[in-house]
Amino acid sequence: MPVTARETLVAEAVLDLATRRDQEDVLLLLHDLTAYTVSLLGLRGAGTAVLNGAGRVDRLTASDELCGRLQEDQFALGEGPCLDSARAAGALAPVALGPGGVGAVLWPRFAPRAVDAGICGVAVVPLRTGRDTHGAVTLMAAVPEALSARAMRLAQVLADAVGAWLGRRTKDEITEQLETALNTRDVIEQAKGALAARLEINVHDAFRRLHSHARSRQQRLGDVAGRVVNGSVPPELTERPPHAGR
């Protein structure tokens, strides 16, 4: 049976996520997990949430601004697929959000917001290492086909690849790394805004620059963002794209 291009991409994604260097920034790794999940499953968005040291669920990464807003909505409203799955430490099968769908009953305030944003269904897979669950990966689909049974299995494989990397650490080390990532989240948001304003680009493109710079130099995303916020912007980040200002 011939190997397809997509199968090759899937294999490369799993290998990349599972075999990062031991000193890898967990925040970069989780952002890459959401990026792979969106591109390989054809999703509208994806995000990760983790259990913090106090046992509460916190949003950590989002594939884009829309997904980030919908994740924040869940925390503000106190309801949503991400919260339910992370608290239950398990997967959430695909749920339709439109009128008459199960999601409209489960999350009467969140579901209409998601539908207005173009999301027709959601599902969640756990982020786990062995028997321990550390968080959840939320999948947001604009078309029902994106949350097929095969897609769900692939999403879990990608999450488990990250789990394999995390599994090389003790439970306390994992908790510490996730807490550090949570503590730098606000700084990264500030850096995205500052860089976007400076270069006259959108915040998504600004984040891509921060991510690329940090990963190519094997630096922590939070450290790069901190330098931007403090005004010590690396020269490579300030090169204006050709279309800027036109």
Side-chain angles (χ1 to χ4, degrees):
M1 180 182 298
V3 177
T4 66
R6 183 172 183 274
E7 289 170 339
T8 301
L9 292 174
V10 169
E12 291 174 345
V14 172
L15 182 64
D16 178 40
L17 294 173
T19 61
R20 296 286 176 92
R21 62 193 181 95
D22 287 343
Q23 296 75 30
E24 179 73 7
D25 181 359
V26 68
L27 193 54
L28 283 174
L29 182 63
L30 291 176
H31 271 294
D32 288 343
L33 170 61
T34 61
Y36 280 132
T37 302
V38 168
S39 63
L40 293 173
L41 275 66
L43 297 172
R44 174 58 186 83
T48 64
V50 298
L51 298 172
N52 64 25
R56 295 191 301 272
V57 185
D58 271 327
R59 176 180 79 84
L60 188 51
T61 67
S63 58
D64 55 45
E65 296 303 309
L66 172 63
C67 180
R69 288 196 300 272
L70 289 175
Q71 282 187 287
E72 291 291 356
D73 284 345
Q74 294 182 64
F75 291 101
L77 297 171
E79 64 175 43
C82 171
L83 297 177
D84 286 0
S85 184
R87 289 166 178 164
L92 178 70
V95 176
L97 297 178
V102 174
V105 177
L106 291 174
W107 314 299
R109 292 176 294 171
F110 168 73
R113 297 190 185 197
V115 171
D116 288 345
I119 306 300
C120 73
V122 295
V124 184
V125 296
L127 181 63
R128 60 197 181 188
T129 56
R131 295 181 178 180
D132 295 323
T133 299
H134 304 283
V137 183
T138 303
L139 318 174
M140 300 184 181
V143 293
E145 296 77 20
L147 296 177
S148 66
R150 288 185 178 180
M152 290 294 294
R153 288 199 295 272
L154 175 54
Q156 187 64 71
V157 168
L158 293 170
D160 286 347
V162 172
W165 182 85
L166 289 171
R168 302 203 295 266
R169 289 140 191 82
T170 67
K171 188 173 182 179
D172 287 343
E173 288 173 337
I174 294 171
T175 299
E176 181 181 357
Q177 286 186 307
L178 293 177
E179 284 286 347
T180 299
L182 286 168
N183 291 336
T184 60
R185 184 185 57 193
D186 290 342
V187 175
I188 293 169
E189 292 298 319
Q190 294 176 41
K192 285 164 54 178
L195 196 60
R198 181 167 183 165
L199 297 179
E200 299 179 358
I201 58 178
N202 61 52
V203 290
H204 182 65
D205 288 339
F207 176 75
R208 290 178 62 183
R209 283 182 168 239
L210 291 168
H211 178 286
S212 177
H213 182 88
R215 185 173 182 189
S216 66
R217 290 159 179 78
Q218 297 187 352
Q219 298 174 354
R220 293 189 179 279
L221 185 57
D223 292 342
V224 175
R227 290 197 293 273
V228 171
V229 171
N230 291 330
S232 303
V233 184
E236 298 85 354
L237 284 176
T238 60
E239 296 176 0
R240 295 170 66 85
H243 64 277
R246 292 183 182 178

